[in-house]
Amino acid sequence: MSQCEDAFGTYEKCDFAEGMELEKKEQKKAPKGAAPSHLPLSPERAIALLYVLLAVAFVFFMALTIVNLQRVSAVWEELKRARMHTESSHTTAWYNLSEVQHSLGQQLSGDLQVIQGQLLRVSREVENVWRNLTQCRAECGEELSDRLRVLAAEKPWLEVVLRQLTEVEQEQSRALALLNASLEETRGLSARFEALRLRAGCPTGWQEFATSCYFFSTDAKPWLTARNYCTNHKAHLVIIDNEEENGFLARHITDNQVFWLGLSDTESEGNWQWVDRRSRSFLSWNNGEPNDAGHDGEDCAIIYSNGRWNDIGCSSNEAWICEQTF
């Protein structure tokens, strides 16, 4: 019989001893290195765990702090750019004002539109900067408030500039009105002068058609000599603009006559130009012309009685037609 059965008072000791034996057997059966499943948390481990949590909280707090600092730095940079942009806008406004004052009376209408456009752009830029600064004010703290006060202090100065630009605009409007009145008076004088010229008519021996006078020579000279003759008489070798003018000239040419035109390609072969170097769409070349025939080529144009044109050598002696425009 075991000790547990000998006496009633020994049962508790026996049960405790058996429990310890069972616990030792369980520990021996458990895999080596395995942690007990229901052991209470020791104070050392609790303190270590608390340190870890504090470290994580500190790292998280530092990350938030860095992010906020970056945001404040970005807002600060934006504020600096806004101020630089505002200063640049002020400089541009002053420069434009100086330019307007310098060129007043020379480019009235064009400068007025430029000033209005620049004034509108400067106003919009200032409004945008002011709006952005107002939106950032709650986030940027006292530093941003100081910047806003600086900008507010500069606003009256900008208003003075805008008021001066308005005064310049009003002055230009008055000058433009005076200029328009002067132009109207000049047009009236020109119309009266033109009427006097028309009343005077063409010089003796010249034929009148539309707004030009024409001289048909009776002599025959080379093309260059004929051109110089017209120039000396404040005219030029005839330039034909349309079919009506060409028909008028043809009606004053007899069947056995030809006359020099103010048309040649002496500067560039095949590039026919009038003496005023302006291009015309009207052409009346004869069939197969111009052909630049001959050893020396044909670089100057003549007109026949049928209104057709031909190219011949510029050294030929031919009659010519001078044209003088009213």
Side-chain angles (χ1 to χ4, degrees), residues 1-15 17-18:
M1 183 179 293
S2 66
Q3 186 181 359
C4 294
E5 297 176 353
D6 291 340
F8 176 77
T10 61
Y11 276 105
E12 291 182 358
K13 295 180 180 180
C14 180
D15 290 340
E18 289 180 357

Side-chain angles (χ1 to χ4, degrees), residues 131-169:
R131 189 182 301 111
N132 292 334
L133 291 175
T134 303
Q135 292 174 353
C136 294
R137 186 174 185 178
E139 301 176 3
C140 299
E142 295 182 358
E143 184 65 28
L144 181 57
S145 299
D146 294 339
R147 297 295 179 181
L148 288 174
R149 283 193 292 272
V150 171
L151 185 59
E154 294 177 353
K155 189 176 180 180
W157 173 80
L158 181 59
E159 291 176 351
V160 172
V161 174
L162 297 179
R163 185 168 56 254
Q164 291 176 349
L165 288 175
T166 302
E167 293 174 356
V168 171
E169 179 181 352

Side-chain angles (χ1 to χ4, degrees), residues 123-133:
S123 299
R124 288 176 178 173
E125 289 174 357
V126 171
E127 290 176 359
N128 291 334
V129 172
W130 188 264
R131 189 182 301 111
N132 292 334
L133 291 175

Side-chain angles (χ1 to χ4, degrees), residues 12-26:
E12 291 182 358
K13 295 180 180 180
C14 180
D15 290 340
F16 178 77
E18 289 180 357
M20 292 297 294
E21 290 295 331
L22 291 174
E23 184 177 350
K24 290 180 180 180
K25 291 179 180 180
E26 289 295 330

Side-chain angles (χ1 to χ4, degrees), residues 86-103:
T86 303
E87 292 176 353
S88 176
S89 299
H90 292 169
T91 302
T92 302
W94 273 110
Y95 175 78
N96 290 333
L97 176 60
S98 177
E99 288 295 322
V100 168
Q101 291 176 342
H102 179 71
S103 61

Side-chain angles (χ1 to χ4, degrees), residues 237-241 261-264 272-280 282-283 309:
L237 279 175
V238 65
I239 297 173
I240 302 176
D241 294 304
L261 300 177
L263 182 65
S264 69
W272 290 87
Q273 290 186 335
W274 296 98
V275 288
D276 64 351
R277 297 184 180 276
R278 294 172 57 189
S279 61
R280 268 77 171 176
F282 176 75
L283 296 172
W309 307 347

